[in-house]
């Protein structure tokens, strides 16, 4: 899937300890699980029929996967704003949460295996989604942590109208240099995976290439805030909710929705 050079300077490194920490949220997901291109997919649909071309969000989850309740609730929120939201299980039933309590677990091996499978299988899933929802639909893509490069790589094509990420991993300069579509960067003040110097370098590249972009940085939160922030604390809760609002408003802007 990647069209980016292996020699391009790294801006967002591999996930670390911060990527497997966070707070589990509580709620009642309303989506369903179906198979698209033989890959299990979380699907959350708008509460009412929409007029005109469908608006579709491709949801690239963090290491907990699209079926983790936090991710399900986030996808349901996007759907409540008039979007069809599709979360690919590119971990194939093996999210990181299955292993976090295992002694002597080889996390690096899990990442290598998961990245290989996700990179190989995601393109056919995207193709199948487009066949189901149609070429006239307005597609957007959002990636969290592990999902960041998938959102950015599809934004180097004409398959989406806009993209967004929050606290990404596995990014290099070419991801930003090759961007063709508008990008929202939702960032944490403290992020060892995508530190402030990398964020500023990404901004410089986007500005040099006259990209359409918006950067938001939330103080008082760290990597993972957008999917695993503590809803019982004021700042993490506000940052998590404001990030989600910003993502969906970004997509509304470029998909022709009123907002």
């Amino acid at each position: 899937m990647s069209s980016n050079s292996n020699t391009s300077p790294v801006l967002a490194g591999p996930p670390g300890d911060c990527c497997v920490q966070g707070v589990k949220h509580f709620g009642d997901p309303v989506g369903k699980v179906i198979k698209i291109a033989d890959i299990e997919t979380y699907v959350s649909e708008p509460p009412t029929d929409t007029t005109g071309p469908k608006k579709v969000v491709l949801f690239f989850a963090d290491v907990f996967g699209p079926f983790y309740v936090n991710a399900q609730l986030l996808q349901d929120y996007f759907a409540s704003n008039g979007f069809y939201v599709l979360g690919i299980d590119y971990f194939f039933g093996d999210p990181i949460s299955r292993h976090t309590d295992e002694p002597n677990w080889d996390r690096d091996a899990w990442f290598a295996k998961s990245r290989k499978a996700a990179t190989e299988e995601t393109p056919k899933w995207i193709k199948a989604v487009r066949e189901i929802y149609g070429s006239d639909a307005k597609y957007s893509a959002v990636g969290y942590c592990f999902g960041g490069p998938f959102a950015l790589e599809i934004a180097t094509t004409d398959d989406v109208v806009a993209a967004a990420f929050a606290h990404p991993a596995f990014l290099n300069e070419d991801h930003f240099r090759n961007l063709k579509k508008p990008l929202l960067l939702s960032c944490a003040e403290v992020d060892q995976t995508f530190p402030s110097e990398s964020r500023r370098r990404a901004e410089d590249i986007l500005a040099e290439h006259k990209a359409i972009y918006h950067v938001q940085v939330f103080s008082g939160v760290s990597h993972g805030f957008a999917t695993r922030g503590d809803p019982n604390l004021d700042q993490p809760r506000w940052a998590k909710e404001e990030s989600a609002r910003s993502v969906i408003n970004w997509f509304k802007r470029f998909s022709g929705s009123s907002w």
Side-chain angles (χ1 to χ4, degrees), residues 2 17 27 40 65 93 109 144 190 223 228 231 237 240 248 258:
S2 174
D17 291 342
E40 287 200 325
Y144 295 88
V190 178
H223 185 98
R228 287 168 277 112
R237 180 180 65 250
K240 173 182 71 71
I248 207 62
S258 57

Side-chain angles (χ1 to χ4, degrees), residues 81-104:
N81 279 267
F83 288 75
Y84 293 82
V85 185
L86 309 173
I88 178 176
D89 180 22
Y90 41 30
F91 300 118
F92 299 92
D94 188 35
I96 207 166
S97 54
R98 290 188 57 193
H99 305 284
T100 50
D101 294 328
E102 293 179 7
N104 304 316

Side-chain angles (χ1 to χ4, degrees), residues 112-182:
K113 180 261 299 185
S114 298
R115 286 189 75 192
K116 182 176 186 295
T119 300
E120 289 175 351
E121 299 298 325
T122 298
K124 74 174 186 180
W125 179 83
I126 293 171
K127 181 181 179 182
V129 167
R130 291 181 61 83
E131 290 172 353
I132 293 168
Y133 289 89
S135 58
D136 62 338
K138 302 291 186 180
Y139 296 90
S140 302
V142 60
Y144 295 88
C145 186
F146 183 98
F150 294 92
L152 271 184
E153 285 163 15
I154 198 172
T156 66
T157 75
D158 291 321
D159 286 346
V160 294
V161 296
F165 67 60
H167 41 78
F170 297 125
L171 297 183
N172 57 43
E173 289 191 0
D174 281 351
H175 281 110
F176 298 93
R177 194 170 284 115
N178 297 335
L179 192 73
K180 291 178 64 176
K181 300 299 178 179

